[in-house]
Amino acid sequence: MAEIDKSAPILVTGGTGFIAGWIIKMLLDDGGTVHATVRDPENKQKVGHLETIADQAPGTLKLFKADLLDLGSFAEATGGCELVIHTASPFVMNGITNPKEQLIRPALEGTRNVLDAVNNSPSVKRVVLTSSVAAIYGDAADLQSLPGGAFTEDHWNTTSSESHQAYSYSKLVAEKEAWAMAKAQERWDLVVINPSMVLGPSLTKYSISGSIGLLKQFGDGTAKFGVPKANMGMVDVRDVAQAHINAGFTPTASGRHILSATEVSLLEISKILRSHFGDTYPLPKREVPKFMVWLAAPMIGFTREFVSKNVGFPLKLDNSYSKKDLGIKYRPIEQTIVEHFQQIIDDQLI
Ligand code: NDP
């Protein structure tokens, strides 16, 4: 149980990110002092929106240069902080040629690096880690062998590896390392946020988050011939940011938290978009049979193993603990999807 002094600075790692942008905005709007780590504080494309937000908010923003793989680089930013929110980790789904270097090392060694800084900063009382439902399950097919019909915080991903679902594996090993390091000491406690697919309006045009790419493919014609019969959990980025803040400032908050408003199929996403945007965009109208998706998989950036274990399976994520422990009230996903797509249009990404 940690009581955080709101006047102490709060460290947010990965400040340039899609989710971190909203966390930082909420903290600054509340008058907080935020130490945000970024890889390049001079890159105005990446940090300009944070400086604009800070100019308009009562809080104070300080940018610090840090890289997940640069040992010791989080030390200065952590100094004096009672609360550390660690979001930084590569969330890249496409173009991965070396999963170990591009995903797993930054996630795992980066978490160790940040938590080493926490261990060396006597002021820190609580760490909030952005993990993922990817640390809870690997493939939708995993649900078939579970009693209860839904994934909960008790479940751990046992099916991902460096060669299959490497991003999920990176989140799994990073979260496990965080729990091991938390249990090895008694000064700070760990609260973990496990979001499903995060969508919603972005405060930055320059994030490469996999979240931004998904709806773009609905609008740019990539999916015009149809989508696989696949389901995903979905949650609004503002609800995810709020969950991090509640996790930080609720003394009794504890454990892991699935953050997911509901499950939705790719075709349902398209239907929501069509009902708001009509036929202006080449939105998919049908589901492609699984065997065709399986055949085409290597050409559309997926493995056949991924298709076999994820297309056509039901998915259910139990979000009740996030409501109980963090008081989260989920926005309807229609709002999330429509506002996200409108932003992609406004930013001329399609
Ligand atoms: P973004 O790509 O927008 O943010 C990722 C952040 O990590 C960026 O600030 C990026 O910095 C930083 N980062 C990546 N590699 C390094 C590195 N080597 N050193 C320092 N910083 C680095 O993605 P999201 O905001 O979507 O993701 C944030 C977190 O949320 C991640 O941990 C992700 O795994 C998790 N998550 C995301 C979900 C989603 O649907 N978006 C779902 C579940 C979990 P830079 O700008 O310099 O690249």
Side-chain angles (χ1 to χ4, degrees):
M1 186 146 125
E3 290 269 5
I4 302 298
D5 175 359
K6 279 200 160 185
S7 67
I10 300 143
L11 172 62
V12 180
T13 70
T16 54
F18 171 50
I19 296 173
W22 279 103
I23 297 173
I24 292 170
K25 177 174 166 41
M26 288 177 183
L27 291 169
L28 292 174
D29 285 347
D30 196 34
T33 297
V34 177
H35 289 186
T37 62
V38 297
R39 283 198 266 195
D40 181 4
E42 306 306 321
N43 183 339
K44 291 294 166 198
Q45 272 195 349
K46 287 268 192 174
V47 302
H49 66 291
L50 296 177
E51 291 172 336
T52 306
I53 290 165
D55 286 345
Q56 294 162 0
T60 305
L61 175 70
K62 292 183 190 164
L63 297 178
F64 293 80
K65 184 178 170 67
D67 190 298
L68 290 169
L69 294 175
D70 184 0
L71 290 186
S73 64
F74 290 88
E76 192 190 349
T78 314
C81 295
E82 294 196 1
L83 174 60
V84 168
I85 302 180
H86 175 37
T87 81
S89 200
F91 178 36
V92 189
M93 306 298 273
N94 296 318
I96 298 296
T97 50
N98 186 340
K100 190 164 189 178
E101 289 305 314
Q102 290 171 273
L103 295 169
I104 298 163
R105 267 192 72 220
L108 175 60
E109 293 178 23
T111 297
R112 215 176 269 151
N113 195 10
V114 170
L115 295 182
D116 279 342
V118 166
N119 279 337
N120 291 327
S121 298
S123 53
V124 179
K125 295 180 180 167
R126 174 163 287 179
V127 174
V128 177
L129 171 75
T130 320
S131 183
S132 169
V133 292
I136 286 180
Y137 77 97
D139 299 303
D142 299 350
L143 190 59
Q144 306 295 303
S145 55
L146 282 188
F151 291 111
T152 73
E153 287 84 358
D154 290 338
H155 297 125
W156 286 91
N157 177 347
T158 55
T159 55
S160 296
S161 65
E162 199 175 311
S163 58
H164 175 63
Q165 300 269 52
Y167 166 73
S168 301
Y169 187 66
S170 79
K171 298 305 287 181
L172 171 72
V173 292
E175 190 190 325
K176 283 199 161 170
E177 179 69 6
W179 283 114
M181 289 181 75
K183 281 175 185 147
Q185 54 76 56
E186 288 181 346
R187 174 174 31 90
W188 52 272
D189 66 5
L190 177 69
V191 183
V192 174
I193 304 297
N194 303 80
S196 59
M197 181 54 103
V198 184
L199 295 184
S202 176
L203 296 168
T204 168
K205 278 190 209 181
Y206 299 102
S207 154
I208 55 160
S209 168
S211 290
I212 314 291
L214 176 77
L215 283 199
K216 190 168 167 290
Q217 290 185 351
F218 276 79
D220 67 9
T222 308
K224 70 180 171 191
F225 296 116
V227 283
K229 185 178 167 65
N231 299 298
M232 64 174 70
M234 187 178 288
V235 60
D236 194 285
V237 65
R238 294 158 289 192
D239 296 339
V240 173
Q242 191 64 57
H244 283 78
I245 288 166
N246 294 4
F249 290 111
T250 307
T252 52
S254 67
R256 314 173 85 196
H257 302 80
I258 290 177
L259 254 284
S260 188
T262 188
E263 298 75 29
V264 60
S265 73
L266 295 173
L267 191 61
E268 281 162 346
I269 296 173
S270 187
K271 280 183 186 157
I272 290 169
L273 289 172
R274 280 220 315 282
S275 73
H276 283 81
F277 297 95
D279 287 330
T280 316
Y281 297 92
L283 296 164
K285 293 185 176 147
R286 62 188 69 84
E287 286 177 334
V288 179
K290 184 168 179 174
F291 80 92
M292 285 177 66
V293 183
W294 186 88
L295 279 175
M299 287 170 286
I300 53 176
F302 294 103
T303 64
R304 290 192 168 134
E305 185 180 5
F306 175 84
V307 172
S308 298
K309 294 178 176 171
N310 289 280
V311 173
F313 289 97
L315 178 65
K316 188 77 193 150
L317 296 159
D318 181 348
N319 65 9
S320 53
Y321 186 58
S322 64
K323 297 179 191 168
K324 182 169 157 261
D325 197 47
L326 303 178
I328 297 302
K329 294 185 173 65
Y330 287 100
R331 280 175 176 75
I333 57 154
E334 289 76 11
Q335 180 191 352
T336 306
I337 291 169
V338 168
E339 290 182 8
H340 189 131
F341 199 74
Q342 185 60 52
Q343 166 133 45
I344 289 174
I345 298 168
D346 295 345
D347 287 348
Q348 299 178 331
L349 297 177
I350 49 173

